[in-house]
Amino acid sequence: MAKKKPEEGPLNLTPDMLHTAARMEDRFNGWLQNRATDHTYQRTVMAYDTYGGTGWVRVLGRLVLTPTGQPAADLQASIRGWKSFVSVPLPNDTAWVRVNDEEHMVTADRGGIIDTVIPGDFQPGETEIELWTDGSLVDSAAVRIIGEDSTFGIISDIDDTVMVTSLPRPFLAAWNTFVLSEHARSPVAGMAVLYDRITYMRPNSPMVYLSTGAWNSALTIKRFLSRNLYPMGPLLLTDWGPTTTRVFRSGKEHKRNSLERLSREFPWMKWLLIGDDGQKDEEVYGEFVDNHPDNVAAVAIRQLTVGEAVWAGGRSKRHGRGQGVPWIYAPDGAGLSSRLTERGIISTI
């Protein structure tokens, strides 16, 4: 097993400092909640598309206060980025989920995020969950039930893989996230066609989008994917703010943990891992290949342009290889499609 390098980014703090950071966030959220209640904000549930196995479903959602109480915006709407962040989280609150005509109570975490597993008996394919809380509208989300007959899936990064964001550059990231209209964000050339081709050639393949983006941006990302004709699938995002071990969450650790979880949940699956060469994906995917070579069909890396690489802080110095897993590089979806076809990865089984 490869030895892990020291984690880059925010440093761990002492327990006292960590608890202080968490308390400060909780007090701020409490102040926001009181202000929102005074301004007649309404309790709102946002249900997120998710996945499951034949004996369970992973429920993903968020409990918030919003001005209108509407759980989602029009998929064709043009919305300024900052509007994705005006909702106020409802920490440690309860909600109800209905799946297979059965209702279950679930609890949100301190950021209002619901992420829990509901047991049950499910058939492979598509189903739906409904989620609501006291005084809210009911929101629904699609669920992909993955059976053991499904042996190939796609896990894709989002930033600079399907969407040009130049996210690692702080000021430009802030502009892209909080100011620009959603329609100002550009798709990466050829990637939607590539994903559509893969899912057409392998129609039972689940599609999962794994990103270090915040849950606040989930609906923004979903609208972007829909408008640009990407196959829809669950978003595995993270939450900003302090944790029990860090002032800010580690995006790299989020990706590592998500990949490890998927390998435990679906040990028979082979995943096509798709990302970019902007510092992190090659390292995270490489570690996963080292640890779970039997769970990886191939790794496809989109090479950033010179300008994108500068904004991303440079390119990764790691070039993937080893464990008998193909590593494929190209600057766009057309190039990746050609190389994946040459390797026989885009083909019917």
Side-chain angles (χ1 to χ4, degrees):
M1 183 179 297
K3 185 177 180 181
K4 293 183 179 179
K5 296 179 181 179
E7 182 72 29
E8 298 176 0
L11 298 176
N12 287 346
L13 299 179
T14 65
D16 288 342
M17 293 178 69
L18 288 168
H19 288 306
T20 299
R23 283 198 301 268
M24 289 177 65
E25 183 189 45
D26 290 343
R27 287 173 183 170
F28 179 67
N29 285 337
W31 177 81
L32 286 178
Q33 189 172 342
N34 291 333
R35 294 278 296 176
T37 302
D38 292 342
H39 287 79
T40 66
Y41 274 41
Q42 301 176 47
R43 294 167 63 84
T44 307
V45 173
M46 298 178 182
Y48 300 135
D49 292 348
T50 184
Y51 65 89
T54 54
W56 54 274
V57 162
R58 183 178 182 181
V59 177
L60 296 172
R62 192 161 180 252
L63 295 178
V64 294
L65 292 169
T66 64
T68 65
Q70 294 294 326
D74 184 347
L75 284 178
Q76 302 304 317
S78 180
I79 297 174
R80 294 289 174 183
W82 63 269
K83 291 188 176 180
S84 299
F85 292 81
V86 298
S87 57
V88 179
L90 286 171
N92 307 314
D93 211 332
T94 56
W96 286 266
V97 58
R98 182 185 294 118
V99 57
N100 265 11
D101 296 324
E102 294 185 358
E103 296 181 5
H104 306 265
M105 180 181 288
V106 293
T107 304
D109 67 12
R110 53 187 295 272
I113 302 298
I114 296 169
D115 185 355
T116 191
V117 172
I118 300 294
D121 185 14
F122 305 98
Q123 295 299 315
E126 299 290 335
T127 187
E128 185 180 77
I129 60 171
E130 294 181 323
L131 202 59
W132 71 95
T133 190
D134 290 336
S136 78
L137 299 174
V138 177
D139 196 22
S140 61
V143 183
R144 175 65 181 268
I145 302 298
I146 303 171
E148 293 192 21
D149 59 334
S150 182
T151 58
F152 178 90
I154 306 101
I155 299 174
S156 172
D157 178 42
I158 294 176
D159 299 321
D160 292 323
T161 300
V162 303
M163 175 196 300
V164 178
T165 59
S166 305
L167 193 58
R169 186 179 183 182
F171 292 110
L172 186 57
W175 180 264
N176 284 338
T177 301
F178 295 106
V179 180
L180 284 184
S181 164
E182 293 177 14
H183 286 283
R185 293 166 179 163
S186 303
V188 174
M191 294 302 285
V193 176
L194 169 62
Y195 289 13
D196 183 67
R197 184 182 178 202
I198 296 173
T199 54
Y200 175 78
M201 298 298 289
R202 295 176 176 265
N204 294 320
S205 302
M207 183 84 211
V208 178
Y209 294 95
L210 174 59
S211 172
T212 58
W215 279 111
N216 306 64
S217 62
L219 298 180
T220 299
I221 294 172
K222 183 175 180 178
R223 288 189 288 266
F224 176 90
L225 296 174
S226 176
R227 281 196 301 270
N228 291 283
L229 305 181
Y230 282 96
M232 300 307 291
L235 303 175
L236 301 183
L237 306 178
T238 187
D239 194 15
W240 290 352
T243 70
T244 56
T245 58
R246 288 180 175 272
V247 175
F248 296 105
R249 297 175 194 271
S250 167
K252 190 188 297 185
E253 199 64 29
H254 163 66
K255 286 192 170 183
R256 285 192 187 114
N257 292 339
S258 296
L259 290 170
E260 288 291 334
R261 177 170 181 165
L262 288 168
S263 72
R264 293 193 303 269
E265 292 170 332
F266 308 107
W268 63 86
M269 288 284 291
K270 280 187 174 291
W271 298 99
L272 170 60
L273 308 178
I274 306 178
D276 63 81
D277 64 354
Q279 299 288 330
K280 305 299 181 185
D281 287 345
E282 287 179 289
E283 179 181 345
V284 174
Y285 288 169
E287 290 174 0
F288 187 72
V289 168
D290 289 341
N291 296 330
H292 303 280
D294 293 337
N295 292 119
V296 184
V299 181
I301 298 295
R302 185 234 165 188
Q303 296 166 309
L304 302 184
T305 66
V306 173
E308 290 168 348
V310 170
W311 291 340
R315 300 182 190 275
S316 170
K317 291 182 170 49
R318 172 172 179 149
H319 292 282
R321 60 186 183 276
Q323 302 292 343
V325 173
W327 285 73
I328 294 163
Y329 290 80
D332 54 30
L336 290 175
S337 179
S338 176
R339 287 162 177 76
L340 288 167
T341 301
E342 291 171 0
R343 293 296 192 105
I345 296 163
I346 300 181
S347 63
T348 54
I349 299 174

